[in-house]
Structure formats: structure tokens, C-alpha cells
Amino acid sequence: MQKIKYLSLYILYVIFEFLFHIMPKNLSKKVLEGIAFLAFKFDKTHNKIAMANLNLVFKDTKSKNEKEKIIATSYKTLAFNMFELLENQRLSKDEIFKKMRVINGDIITKALASGRKIIFVTAHYGGWEITLPGIALMFDMKVGVVNKKMQNPYIHAKYAAAREKNNITMIEKHSAAKGMLKTLLEGNQVAIVIDQHTDSGCEIDFLGVKDMATDAVARLALKLDALIIPILTTNNDFRSYEITIYEPIDPLKINDEDKILVLTKLQNDIISSQILAKPDFWLWQHKRFRKFNAEIYN
């Protein structure tokens, strides 16, 4: 029965992919905005999670109406990313490039020329589904991305093959540290999304709230003298993205006693600052703060 269920979902996935492929782009946008609106109106569970997060972060500095607008836009951002996941499987690299503009691309060029290994860090922010394939193709490099394996083996195989076409290889989340190390030692780069909940790592302030953050990137960077390069993507509009490359965080320049904590803080401070400046683009619907504030999700 499980196999039949997975196969049925896979067929549905392929149908949606095909429909969005043949559908005029202006109609695709309207359909996705409609899906996002319905999710905002009827997805009570994730709406409550998002509002709990916003209340914790912004307290009374934003009105309830402002917070609801942020949640609604967050759903639209998620819908647009699901479209990118489907569409980019069929596009050539030149077609992908037409949807993106890279700011500070010379940072990656210089980092690659230095010969040092690179660990890219990013978040579920803006256009995360185009961020890593976009820069991997643009700078002609293989990037191993830490990702949780999908339960559906048919969809996962299609997803992995599409990523491979765009210079992305998958690193299993349950053995992320080992996989990242292996990928870097093979001469490729790695990337990891660091804005999700974790029970272990370093205690930091994220969005002004005490929480835990993964220290895997800091430990690996120190082990290999690798550069840490944050990347975040904002939405200009449907199928229009701006990818910003931030200055490298260099472990060789950290003189503090607790280098792991400092490196972890620096990564998260960059992401935190961008989310606070433009909160609409972040995925507020996950329980990011449950380590120390689990009661807000009750």
C-alpha cells in the first residue's frame, strides 16, 4: 500500500510539473498566489506557529495586522519557491540566469581563485530554491547541499536528478558533517541551510531571541581553514530574484578563545539582520524557537 501511495503522489507531482510547464507564466503566478491565499486562510496550524514566532520576535513593535501581512507574504514566498523547484528541473542554465541577478559575485570568484574550500550558508528566505543552483551554475562549481531525504523515493530520485543537472549533489542530513567533509575533500564546495531548529550546537541570539544554532559549519571551517560565505536571496517579483553574496567569514582571522561560538554567531547575525530588515521573505511557519520557548507553540 505504501508503494502505491508513493507512486500515486509521484504521478500527481509529474502532472503538476507538466501543467506549470505549459501554463502561461502570468497565469502560473495567479494560480500560485491563489494557493498561497488559501493556505493563509485555512492552514490554521502553521498560521498559529508563524504568529507565535512573530509575537516572540517583534512583540508589540508590530501590529497584528502587520504580522498577518508578513505571514500572507511568507506563504506566497513558499508557493513561488515550490514553483522554482518544479520549473528549474526543465530549464537550461541560461534560462535560470534570466531570473536572477547576483550582487557581489566577485566575492565567490576571489574565493575560488584562492584555492580555499568554501562553505556556503543560507536560509529559508526569499528564493532559496534558486539560490544554490543559480550560483553553482554561474560559477561553474559542484556544490554538495545538506538536505533531508524525501520519504517518497520516486519524487526524491527525480528531485536529486534535477539538482545534479544544476551542479548540486545531495548530502544526507543525518550524516551531514561526514558528508560535507567528504565533499570538500573531493574538491567541491558545500552549502547548508542554518535557520532551522536544532537541539545541539551553540547558544546564540537569533532574531533577538535566545536559541540554539548548529555549530557544524564553524567546526568544519576550523578543521579545513575553509571560508564561510553567507548567501541570501530576495524576491523582486515572480521569477525575479536578487542573490546577495556576503563577505566571507574567515576562521583564520578569528582570535577569540571560543572560535566556534564566534563563527556561529557571525553567520547567524547576518541572516538575522536581513530577516529583521525584510521579514516578509522568511519562512515563519516552522517551530524555530522550541528549544527555549516551546510553550509558545502550545
Side-chain angles (χ1 to χ4, degrees):
M1 288 299 293
Q2 189 78 307
K3 185 175 181 180
I4 294 173
K5 176 185 174 183
Y6 285 150
L7 193 56
S8 299
L9 288 171
Y10 172 73
I11 293 170
L12 189 63
Y13 176 91
V14 172
I15 290 171
F16 269 101
E17 180 192 355
F18 176 73
L19 288 175
F20 276 118
H21 176 65
I22 63 172
M23 194 182 296
K25 296 300 180 283
N26 60 341
L27 180 57
S28 294
K29 180 182 179 182
K30 291 183 182 299
V31 170
L32 292 165
E33 287 175 336
I35 292 171
F37 176 77
L38 291 173
F40 172 64
K41 286 296 182 183
F42 298 107
D43 184 8
K44 302 300 183 184
T45 299
H46 290 97
N47 256 304
K48 288 179 180 177
I49 292 170
M51 185 59 77
N53 287 331
L54 286 162
N55 287 337
L56 182 66
V57 171
F58 291 108
K59 300 180 174 60
D60 295 328
T61 62
K62 290 188 183 296
S63 67
K64 183 181 179 183
N65 186 52
E66 287 176 309
K67 292 170 184 173
E68 286 177 343
K69 285 182 179 178
I70 291 171
I71 296 171
T73 305
S74 182
Y75 273 111
K76 186 168 75 170
T77 299
L78 176 60
F80 284 2
N81 272 281
M82 295 303 98
F83 176 84
E84 290 299 326
L85 173 62
L86 294 173
E87 184 181 55
N88 292 340
Q89 296 179 24
R90 290 175 174 263
L91 298 186
S92 68
K93 67 177 181 179
D94 289 332
E95 289 173 317
I96 291 175
F97 292 163
K98 289 178 182 177
K99 299 191 293 183
M100 54 184 265
R101 174 173 174 255
V102 176
I103 298 175
N104 302 329
D106 61 303
I107 289 175
I108 295 180
T109 302
K110 290 176 182 177
L112 290 169
S114 74
R116 293 178 65 181
K117 302 182 187 308
I118 303 172
I119 304 173
F120 294 105
V121 292
T122 188
H124 291 96
Y125 185 84
W128 64 85
E129 283 296 341
I130 198 171
T131 304
L132 298 174
I135 62 110
L137 289 170
M138 179 162 283
F139 296 95
D140 193 25
M141 57 184 173
K142 292 283 188 180
V143 180
V145 179
V146 176
N147 213 312
K148 187 177 180 180
K149 188 174 182 179
M150 296 178 178
Q151 287 186 327
N152 190 315
Y154 305 106
I155 295 178
H156 180 80
K158 186 173 178 61
Y159 179 63
R163 286 294 184 97
E164 188 72 36
K165 177 182 77 73
N166 292 329
N167 285 3
I168 299 292
T169 57
M170 312 298 284
I171 298 173
E172 290 289 343
K173 189 174 181 178
H174 68 83
S175 57
K178 185 177 178 181
M180 290 168 71
L181 177 60
K182 181 176 182 292
T183 301
L184 288 168
L185 292 177
E186 287 174 348
N188 299 316
Q189 317 308 332
V190 298
I192 183 170
V193 178
I194 63 168
D195 63 332
Q196 294 177 300
H197 163 78
T198 181
D199 282 317
S200 60
C202 292
E203 186 179 306
I204 63 163
D205 278 354
F206 184 73
L207 302 181
V209 179
K210 183 177 79 168
D211 204 35
M212 297 295 287
T214 179
D215 60 3
V217 173
R219 291 182 183 279
L220 192 56
L222 285 167
K223 184 181 182 70
L224 299 177
D225 291 335
L227 294 170
I228 302 168
I229 301 183
I231 306 178
L232 290 170
T233 301
T234 51
N235 301 57
N236 293 324
D237 198 356
F238 179 57
R239 301 180 80 248
S240 176
Y241 299 92
E242 199 166 85
I243 302 174
T244 300
I245 317 296
Y246 292 82
E247 287 293 332
I249 300 169
D250 190 344
L252 297 179
K253 295 180 179 179
I254 304 298
N255 297 316
D256 297 66
E257 186 175 333
D258 193 343
K259 293 184 178 183
I260 291 174
L261 176 61
V262 172
L263 288 169
T264 302
K265 275 183 85 305
L266 287 171
Q267 301 162 50
N268 283 276
D269 285 349
I270 289 170
I271 291 172
S272 187
S273 294
Q274 179 61 36
I275 294 171
L276 291 173
K278 294 184 177 180
D280 309 65
F281 296 130
W282 194 47
L283 187 65
W284 289 92
Q285 290 85 348
H286 62 285
K287 297 180 181 179
R288 175 63 176 88
F289 303 105
R290 69 176 184 260
K291 176 68 176 178
F292 298 112
N293 294 277
E295 72 281 355
I296 70 171
Y297 303 119
N298 291 337

